[in-house]
Amino acid sequence: MIVVMKKGATKEQIEHMIRRVEELGLKAHPIYGTERTVIAAIGEKRDEHRASLESGAGVAEVVPILAPYKVASREVKPEPTVVRAGSLSVGNCHLGMIAGPCSVESAEQTLQTARAVKAAGATALRGGAFKPRTSPYSFQGLKEEGLKILAAAREETGLAVVTEVISEGDVPLVAGYADVLQIGARNMQNYRLLEAVGEAGKPVLLKRGASATLDELLLAAEYILNAGNPQVMLCERGIRTFETHTRFTLALSAVPYLHDRTHLPVVVDPSHGTGHTSLVAPMAAAAVAAGADGLIVEVHPDPETALSDGYQSLTFEEFEGLMELVRRVAEAVGKQIE
Ligand code: PEP
Ligand code: MN
């Protein structure tokens, strides 16, 4: 249920209603909007208390939340959420450009890439230090050494660092270095990990599982939001279909669909979404045209020798070309890269 307070409801009335919701055994999640405050009442038996809450002082109405996800839904918070992490802003009119290697391979490779993507206009650096690899025989990442390299790249370039955390036990370590914690497609439904990043106090980039529905993605986001972290970005990174020409099928209709259902910003990953260098820039442009709030793109100094995902990584020059194209589309749809 959503307890919608009247315009001009007092602080005392709002606090009283939060207490009332909690007394009923429900979790109160207040959202202070510019116009009015709403309190999402989350819990199993939520609808039975509707009438009793409706009589509270300062309450305009109590309405059921129809979507299976609650805190993520537009019904609870109509205005778009803007996620901020250092140099990165994602949401509303801010288009975040996250770029960098799939994996942190060395200080030289990461620093060179950070400098190049920054010069081309990226607003954050990506790079995996803990890699979730399909094969246990593939490169697993430099782990803490990789995190240190990312921190050094941030120090030099000022770019916020986006990096993946693959296990609950690693959350404190990764959160100690990262500006944004990435939850990869393979871990979208690792609920204990979602709760742990919810408690870590750092913005989260939550990638859609390759076989997950959009409702499942939103319910996964709900775990993070419920743990008290409102800074969540959703990421469409392609799903499994019968198509074999591309590594995954980049479902761009997810962008306007999610914008309709949730206030959370939506980032698109055209690198994993296509799996082919030549398709990355056109799909990046298409994502921005569809309303994406951010892009995450793999860039490598020498894609041919990359330790992971070289076939979908852009050279520095190709990334400059992507930025030029994206800048023009962003301007056309009223978004700023900043
Ligand atoms: C990545 O970003 O390098 C990655 C592993 O992505 P995904 O989880 O979408 O496969
Ligand atoms: Mn990758």
Side-chain angles (χ1 to χ4, degrees), residues 67-302:
Y69 38 89
K70 311 295 173 195
V71 188
S73 81
R74 276 253 184 221
E75 295 171 77
V76 167
K77 181 172 180 274
E79 61 270 24
T81 291
V82 178
V83 173
R84 293 179 204 276
S87 60
L88 178 69
S89 295
V90 177
N92 204 9
C93 56
H94 306 280
L95 180 68
M97 290 298 304
I98 308 162
C102 176
S103 300
V104 174
E105 298 169 7
S106 69
E108 185 55 23
Q109 167 251 16
T110 304
L111 278 165
Q112 243 187 305
T113 310
R115 288 179 200 129
V117 299
K118 160 107 186 194
T123 58
L125 174 68
R126 65 147 289 148
F130 289 86
K131 293 304 297 177
R133 304 306 300 279
T134 302
S135 163
Y137 309 114
S138 302
F139 176 59
Q140 302 289 312
L142 295 182
K143 312 207 166 78
E144 188 166 8
E145 189 196 334
L147 296 173
K148 287 185 177 153
I149 293 170
L150 287 166
R154 170 181 50 216
E155 185 77 20
E156 191 194 304
T157 60
L159 291 176
V161 163
V162 180
T163 195
E164 181 164 356
V165 55
I166 59 178
S167 91
E168 202 189 325
D170 293 333
V171 171
L173 174 73
V174 180
Y177 291 95
D179 299 294
V180 174
L181 297 171
Q182 175 177 327
I183 298 292
R186 291 156 190 81
N187 271 313
M188 188 204 85
Q189 287 178 312
N190 181 342
Y191 301 115
R192 298 297 83 80
L193 178 61
L194 298 178
E195 284 167 347
V197 297
E199 284 159 14
K202 288 275 164 101
V204 176
L205 178 78
L206 175 64
K207 294 186 115 184
R208 177 184 186 179
S211 305
T213 66
L214 293 175
D215 269 8
E216 287 165 343
L217 172 63
L218 287 161
L219 285 165
E222 196 83 0
Y223 274 89
I224 304 169
L225 298 168
N226 273 340
N229 187 348
Q231 295 272 287
V232 179
M233 299 171 253
L234 304 171
C235 180
E236 171 58 58
R237 47 76 75 207
I239 51 173
R240 273 258 150 86
T241 68
F242 52 81
E243 184 55 74
T244 52
H245 286 92
T246 49
R247 185 178 178 192
F248 293 96
T249 295
L250 188 58
L252 283 186
S253 57
V255 179
Y257 178 89
L258 288 169
H259 278 153
D260 195 44
R261 300 298 200 284
T262 179
H263 51 88
L264 298 174
V266 183
V267 173
V268 171
D269 177 345
S271 306
H272 294 86
T274 62
H276 293 280
T277 300
S278 63
L279 304 180
V280 174
M283 293 315 284
V288 176
D293 303 295
L295 293 172
I296 179 163
V297 178
E298 289 185 338
V299 179
H300 195 280
D302 181 20

